[in-house]
Amino acid sequence: MGIFSRLADIINSNLNAILDRAEEPEKIIRLVIQEMEDTLVEVRSTAAKTIAEKKEIGRRLARLDEAQQSWEEKAELALTKGREDLAKGALVEKAKLAEAAAALQAELEELDALLRQGETDIAKLEGKLREAKAKQQALTARHETAGSRLKVRRTLYDGRVEDAFQRFEQVEKKLDEAEGAVEAYDLSGGGKTLAEEISELAAESAIEDELAALKAKVKKSKETGAADKG
């Protein structure tokens, strides 16, 4: 069953209201467009038939006009021959044709009115169809945008991305620790305090004194040994 029951429903329809009530707007707008296009085909087909009927009636009116003219000429001929009775008969036939022509003329005027209304309806229907297609494009664009945003969100919240961030934080932590160790080493003067350096100097001096004493002892021992031999 169609969304619209007649042409007037389409022309007077509020597409926004229809879509607001729909659970599946994209599906409904497709159906609306299809029904509008089908109706437009029907309205144009009706207009084409009306135009064809107008042309046919025009030809019939032309033939009736010629026939009336012919009966009038016959009436004149009858009068010239003194046959008034025949002249009256000819005028009666002419009157019948004139009556038929008047009926056809009235029908032609009705067809003209229908055709003008059909042209108006086609224009309004085409306007509604353009509106519906614009709505469809807007819905499609919104759907594509929403899909893109959803894809981005899924990517951002992907566990693999979170794992990568965690690994990056661990690397940063290790770098911080290494940099801290270097900075601490620099602050300690290469790893030796002032007291340590002084202690090293004292130890070095004691060793030198002990070495000098040992040298003196060895020298004295040699001198004593040489004296004994002499």
Side-chain angles (χ1 to χ4, degrees), residues 147-161:
S148 298
R149 291 174 61 186
L150 179 60
K151 184 177 180 180
V152 170
R153 286 179 179 270
R154 286 176 175 170
T155 300
L156 290 176
Y157 289 101
D158 193 328
R160 290 173 296 178
V161 176

Side-chain angles (χ1 to χ4, degrees), residues 2-13 35 39 42 125:
I3 297 172
F4 306 109
S5 61
R6 58 184 183 278
L7 177 63
D9 286 346
I10 297 178
I11 294 175
N12 298 323
S13 64
E35 189 161 354
T39 303
E42 292 177 4
L125 185 54

Side-chain angles (χ1 to χ4, degrees), residues 95-151:
K96 291 179 180 178
L97 294 174
E99 185 178 355
L104 283 178
Q105 186 62 43
E107 186 176 348
L108 183 61
E109 292 174 359
E110 290 180 2
L111 291 177
D112 282 334
L114 288 174
L115 190 58
R116 287 193 298 271
Q117 183 61 47
E119 291 173 351
T120 300
D121 290 342
I122 289 174
K124 291 180 179 179
L125 185 54
E126 288 177 336
K128 280 291 182 177
L129 184 57
R130 286 193 296 271
E131 180 185 353
K133 288 183 176 180
K135 294 288 184 184
Q136 185 182 40
Q137 290 178 351
L139 287 172
T140 301
R142 285 176 58 189
H143 179 76
E144 291 176 351
T145 300
S148 298
R149 291 174 61 186
L150 179 60
K151 184 177 180 180

Side-chain angles (χ1 to χ4, degrees), residues 86-97:
L86 294 178
K88 288 181 179 180
L91 292 176
V92 168
E93 293 300 324
K94 178 185 175 183
K96 291 179 180 178
L97 294 174

Side-chain angles (χ1 to χ4, degrees), residues 25 27 43 119 173 205:
K27 177 180 178 181
V43 173
E119 291 173 351
K173 184 177 180 181
S205 178

Side-chain angles (χ1 to χ4, degrees), residues 15 20 42-43 61 93 102-103 110 132 141 179 183 186-187 221 226:
L15 293 179
D20 288 342
E42 292 177 4
V43 173
L61 282 172
E93 293 300 324
E110 290 180 2
E179 289 175 353
E183 292 175 3
D186 291 340
L187 290 174
S221 177

Side-chain angles (χ1 to χ4, degrees), residues 5-6 9 32 36 38 41 51 60 62 74 82-83 102-103 125 147 152 156-157 186 208 229:
S5 61
R6 58 184 183 278
D9 286 346
V32 166
M36 285 183 175
D38 291 344
V41 170
I51 293 173
R60 290 169 62 186
K74 291 176 180 178
R83 295 294 304 271
L125 185 54
V152 170
L156 290 176
Y157 289 101
D186 291 340
E208 289 178 353
K229 290 179 179 179

